[in-house]
Amino acid sequence: MTSSSAPQDPTPEAVKAPKDPWDLPDVSGLVVGVLGGTGEQGRGLAYRFARAGQKVIIGSRSADRARDAAAELGHGVEGADNAETARRSDVVIVAVPWDGHAKTLESLREELAGKLVVDCVNPLGFDKKGAYALKPEEGSAAEQAAALLPDSRVTAAFHHLSAVLLQDTSLDEIDTDVMVLGEERADVETVQALAGRIAGMRGVFAGRLRNAHQVESLVANLISVNRRYKAHAGLRVTDI
């Protein structure tokens, strides 16, 4: 005999449909802070996000320098020192030089606690043969950030963007994909959605932080491409 209490096969309506990977959250109300916002990459990202309607604060070791850069960018961008930028932002993009990466993050551990941190730093070396990838002890810049910021939610993204194109005010769109890595799906999707706020861009999930090294190091290859072809190359992922 079959017990009446035996579990029944779920009806088709009861089976939860898989989540659409392109169903991303509304991030239009988030405040984006950019550490290293007075550098070329940081300025470019700040400009693009602000132009898309995002509230942006750029940070620098010097608040005056940050405010001057913000005034040049316009679009409502504000400038502050790094600590204030971290405190006031919902999402903090790390766009500092690799040489100052660890020191900057160590000094902001308290201000970055509980924040979504997006590391876009590329550890590179240069010699007469061109650019080459460095391998941090932790495995990547993003993994170093995660180790230094145990109370933050660290992701990695925006590595392969041309600072020249980001700052070109004549360009309405930038035709490229942004590879996004992280440990928590919700955090990754937030960064994907932010990437999609910039016209022409699309954020694509590219794995967990343990895979960040090859994403960071690919920039060395793109530098070689750009030098040979006099270009500002980016990436597109096909068939998705």
Side-chain angles (χ1 to χ4, degrees):
M1 294 179 63
T2 302
S3 170
S4 60
S5 62
Q8 302 296 310
D9 291 336
T11 62
E13 293 78 16
V15 177
K16 187 176 181 180
K19 187 178 186 302
D20 180 354
W22 298 113
D23 180 15
L24 301 174
D26 178 6
V27 295
S28 59
L30 296 180
V31 178
V32 176
V34 185
L35 304 181
T38 58
E40 295 301 308
Q41 195 79 358
R43 284 173 62 98
L45 285 168
Y47 169 70
R48 288 292 160 179
F49 281 121
R51 180 169 167 169
Q54 212 75 33
K55 175 60 185 172
V56 177
I57 306 170
I58 58 174
S60 174
R61 286 177 296 179
S62 165
D64 288 340
R65 184 180 178 192
R67 283 190 284 266
D68 289 344
E72 292 175 7
L73 291 174
H75 296 279
V77 176
E78 294 185 38
D81 63 32
N82 282 331
E84 182 181 346
T85 298
R87 282 193 297 267
R88 293 177 55 196
S89 301
D90 301 305
V91 179
V92 180
I93 297 174
V94 181
V96 300
W98 167 240
D99 288 348
H101 184 259
K103 185 176 180 180
T104 299
L105 296 184
E106 285 174 336
S107 70
L108 297 171
R109 183 176 294 160
E110 181 177 343
E111 290 83 359
L112 291 171
K115 304 288 184 176
L116 176 53
V117 175
V118 187
D119 201 296
C120 69
V121 175
N122 302 305
L124 298 175
F126 296 86
D127 60 19
K128 63 183 180 181
K129 294 183 179 181
Y132 60 94
L134 303 175
K135 185 80 177 274
E137 181 179 349
E138 297 85 355
S140 64
E143 288 170 296
Q144 183 183 85
L148 293 172
L149 303 172
D151 298 320
S152 303
R153 293 136 48 214
V154 176
T155 61
F158 304 115
H159 301 89
H160 306 136
L161 307 181
S162 163
V164 173
L165 297 185
L166 288 173
Q167 295 184 77
D168 188 339
T169 59
S170 70
L171 293 178
D172 293 328
E173 297 186 358
I174 298 179
D175 180 24
T176 192
D177 283 334
V178 174
M179 302 183 79
V180 184
L181 303 96
E183 299 303 316
E184 299 295 333
R185 181 164 186 161
D187 294 336
V188 169
E189 290 181 345
T190 295
V191 180
Q192 287 180 262
L194 280 171
R197 294 276 288 163
I198 301 176
M201 287 192 193
R202 181 179 64 163
V204 177
F205 171 63
R208 295 179 178 267
L209 288 186
R210 68 181 183 179
N211 294 322
H213 171 67
Q214 55 262 39
V215 173
E216 296 169 0
S217 62
L218 186 58
V219 175
N221 303 88
L222 289 177
I223 290 173
S224 297
V225 170
N226 290 336
R227 287 180 173 175
R228 175 64 60 90
Y229 298 100
K230 310 301 182 189
H232 303 292
L235 297 178
R236 273 296 188 198
V237 181
T238 63
D239 200 33
I240 58 170

